Amino acid sequence: QVQLVESGGALVQAGGSLRISCAASGSTFSNYAAGWFRQAPGKERRFVSIISRSGGSTDYADSVKGRFTISRDNAKNTMYLQMNSLKPEDTGVYYCAADDSYFKILAGRVRYWGQGTQVTVSS
């Protein structure tokens, strides 16, 4: 099993930047594909980005392409999401996700979830 803890959420102004992190423990992080989802108030949790075990493959939701960058440091058991040009519609709780299957994450069928970190973008 792997435990995931997000950090770095904050209140930022529109157009600003923020980097959130996901620290993994309990198992070798490089054994898992990982990703980020977010849940806006009153809405379902939705896919944001994914990264393969080695970090060599990434993908993004259309709404964040060109603005967000996912990365990971397996030596530190940590994944990051760099968010630039933030918009009010990026507001939500951001969840870290991990699974041994890249495609299960894309499908939202994630085995391991973090507790979430709040990102609020003011207009």
Side-chain angles (χ1 to χ4, degrees):
Q1 288 190 345
V2 62
Q3 291 79 47
L4 306 170
V5 178
E6 301 92 335
S7 62
L11 169 64
V12 296
Q13 289 189 333
S17 297
L18 187 68
R19 188 179 79 161
I20 57 177
S21 302
C22 172
S25 62
S27 186
T28 304
F29 190 45
S30 59
N31 287 342
Y32 301 91
W36 291 96
F37 289 71
R38 70 185 179 195
Q39 186 168 20
K43 296 187 177 180
E44 293 185 351
R45 186 159 49 187
R46 302 190 71 172
F47 169 79
V48 174
S49 184
I50 188 172
I51 189 165
S52 63
R53 299 178 189 191
S54 67
S57 295
T58 59
D59 201 1
Y60 299 89
D62 287 344
S63 59
V64 307
K65 278 182 181 176
R67 299 189 298 121
F68 289 12
T69 302
I70 191 171
S71 62
R72 66 191 296 166
D73 185 340
N74 287 334
K76 294 183 178 180
N77 291 330
T78 304
M79 177 177 66
Y80 307 97
L81 186 67
Q82 177 67 44
M83 303 182 287
N84 298 328
S85 301
L86 282 161
K87 304 176 181 180
E89 51 263 44
D90 294 320
T91 293
V93 178
Y94 282 70
Y95 294 92
C96 175
D99 197 283
D100 55 5
S101 168
Y102 187 92
F103 298 102
K104 283 185 178 179
I105 294 177
L106 285 176
R109 301 200 314 268
V110 173
R111 184 172 182 185
Y112 301 108
W113 292 100
Q115 84 290 347
T117 187
Q118 177 71 45
V119 173
T120 304
V121 184
S122 63
S123 57

